Amino acid sequence: PPAVVAARTGFSPQPAAPKIRVGLDNFAVRAMAWKAPELIDYAAALMCDTLLISDLDALGGLDDGHLRGLRRRADAVGIGLYLGSWSICPTSKTFRPTWGTAEEHLRLGIRVSKTLGSPVFRVVLGNMEDRKSPGGIRARMADTLAVLKACRHDALAAGVRIALENHAGDMHSWELRELIDQAGHDFVGANQDSGNAVWTLEDPRDVLETLGPVTLCSSLRDSMVWETPDGAAVQWTACGEGLTDWKAYAARWRELCPQVPIMIETISGGPRMFPYKKPEFWAHYDKRPDKLAKFEALAKRGRPIPAFKAPAGPDGKKAQQDFQKSEIEKSIAYLRREIGLGVRT
């Protein structure tokens, strides 16, 4: 016991660092089309601590009685619920008025998050196509900032913080950090996505340094990156099958945002090409040589890997479902076994 050790040696051993919780983002198993009850049960079966339900439709209803029932179900199996949705930028090419205006969407998410017991509501600006829109990504950032500020009082009153993601190549990590700083850390932070980091030609470890101090939530995955004649190819993978040094990554995560769970969103499949060696590529991206050098160093360590494509015909859906479940299941198992994540035993 620590007290005995202290008496005999004259020094008190340091207490063990608390474990980082581990979980999954339901988009990892999107082909299953599960609703919240099935997702909660699946997360529990994988020995997860948390579950990010990243779209409102998956809840199966938004009335308070139904939501309180989901919360009780999650509590019963020890799953902490996190909630998310999609674009709150009214001028993004990805914005859809499914939930009303951008402000109505955000206020709805805040209300539902509070009832579910989610500490955050995960949202996005858009995707890489917004970089090519009138005014570029800076104009879309300004529009998003206006929506956030309009809903600040609602978020603070509910005790729910807004976790804005670096999503699908929309913002570089430094652009997202700037937006969060402008909005205010009292109610806005980051949903950090390590896979999306490589879509803005960044090293996920470097993105962790930028966003870690303001991270509230996560949707992480591994990536393989390799050089091509015109630039680089990126293919997302299961954890442990890409270039991420998860031991080092988790150690730094523990220093920067230890209370935030590492939640995995595997989206494996085929490669995406980034012809950044062509001058025209940089018309829509912010070229920072020091950041690009770290991405290029990553690509030099990588290699091409096989792509997955579900077969055509009636067997395709089952193959896609089996593949998605395999990718998330081996990722969670790897992080628990090899990296020591998770609080369950």
Side-chain angles (χ1 to χ4, degrees):
V4 174
V5 172
R8 291 178 177 174
T9 65
F11 99 171
S12 298
Q14 293 296 314
K19 284 196 170 187
I20 299 171
R21 291 172 295 160
V22 69
L24 74 133
D25 180 323
N26 75 297
F27 197 75
V29 287
R30 58 205 174 278
M32 302 304 299
W34 283 332
K35 297 300 184 183
E38 292 89 352
L39 291 167
I40 291 168
D41 293 347
Y42 184 63
L46 296 188
M47 299 289 283
C48 289
D49 306 303
T50 57
L51 166 67
L52 170 58
I53 299 178
S54 57
D55 59 274
L56 297 175
D57 277 336
L59 294 174
L62 300 180
D63 64 277
D64 284 355
H66 175 70
L67 297 173
R68 285 193 291 267
L70 295 178
R71 183 173 181 173
R72 289 193 297 270
R73 188 184 187 112
D75 288 345
V77 292
I79 297 294
L81 291 179
Y82 284 67
L83 180 66
S85 190
W86 301 102
S87 176
I88 60 161
C89 177
T91 55
S92 168
K93 295 184 178 183
T94 68
F95 180 78
R96 300 291 180 269
T98 307
W99 308 107
T101 67
E103 291 180 20
E104 289 169 342
H105 184 187
L106 186 51
R107 289 191 175 100
L108 173 64
I110 290 168
R111 190 266 293 175
V112 174
S113 295
K114 180 181 180 180
T115 306
L116 273 181
S118 171
V120 308
F121 182 50
R122 189 293 307 260
V123 295
V124 308
L125 184 159
N127 64 25
M128 65 177 63
E129 292 304 309
D130 290 310
R131 303 193 70 87
K132 305 172 187 177
S133 61
I137 198 65
R138 289 282 167 180
R140 307 291 76 74
M141 289 167 62
D143 295 337
T144 302
L145 179 61
V147 173
L148 289 168
K149 287 188 171 182
C151 298
R152 178 177 181 272
H153 174 77
D154 303 85
L156 292 175
V160 172
R161 299 175 76 185
I162 310 305
L164 186 60
E165 184 174 313
N166 56 315
H167 183 254
D170 59 0
M171 288 179 285
H172 291 288
S173 62
W174 54 87
E175 292 166 333
L176 176 54
R177 179 60 188 267
E178 179 184 325
L179 180 51
I180 291 168
D181 291 347
Q182 290 175 343
H185 297 178
D186 57 343
F187 81 110
V188 180
N191 182 73
Q192 191 170 166
D193 190 311
S194 57
N196 287 333
V198 290
W199 277 24
T200 50
L201 306 186
E202 297 180 73
D203 182 336
R205 283 287 302 277
D206 197 37
V207 169
L208 176 57
E209 295 300 318
T210 301
L211 297 180
V214 296
T215 291
L216 305 174
C217 190
S218 65
S219 302
L220 308 179
R221 72 192 71 86
D222 213 336
S223 300
M224 182 61 73
V225 186
W226 63 92
E227 295 177 303
T228 66
D230 291 329
V234 171
Q235 186 166 325
W236 293 329
T237 73
C239 295
E241 297 183 357
L243 295 171
T244 303
D245 180 342
W246 284 99
K247 287 186 177 180
Y249 191 91
R252 188 57 175 149
W253 188 278
R254 184 176 287 109
E255 293 171 349
L256 293 174
C257 46
Q259 300 305 313
V260 179
I262 284 181
M263 292 188 277
I264 303 302
E265 181 192 17
T266 41
I267 315 176
S268 308
R272 177 179 285 264
M273 303 299 167
F274 291 86
Y276 69 86
K277 292 181 181 178
K278 294 183 176 181
E280 58 268 26
F281 179 87
W282 295 103
H284 306 294
Y285 285 87
D286 182 5
K287 188 174 185 179
R288 298 196 175 185
D290 58 327
K291 303 292 187 182
L292 182 59
K294 293 176 182 179
F295 174 83
E296 290 183 317
L298 199 67
K300 288 184 183 297
R301 295 196 290 111
R303 56 179 176 78
I305 57 175
F308 169 81
K309 185 174 177 59
D315 295 333
K317 181 178 180 180
K318 177 66 162 53
Q320 186 70 51
Q321 291 175 332
D322 290 345
F323 176 70
Q324 288 182 6
K325 289 176 66 179
S326 172
E327 292 291 282
I328 189 62
E329 288 171 12
K330 62 186 174 183
S331 293
I332 298 296
Y334 171 83
L335 293 174
R336 285 176 51 82
R337 181 184 66 249
E338 303 296 332
I339 313 302
L341 300 187
V343 300
R344 290 173 180 257
T345 58

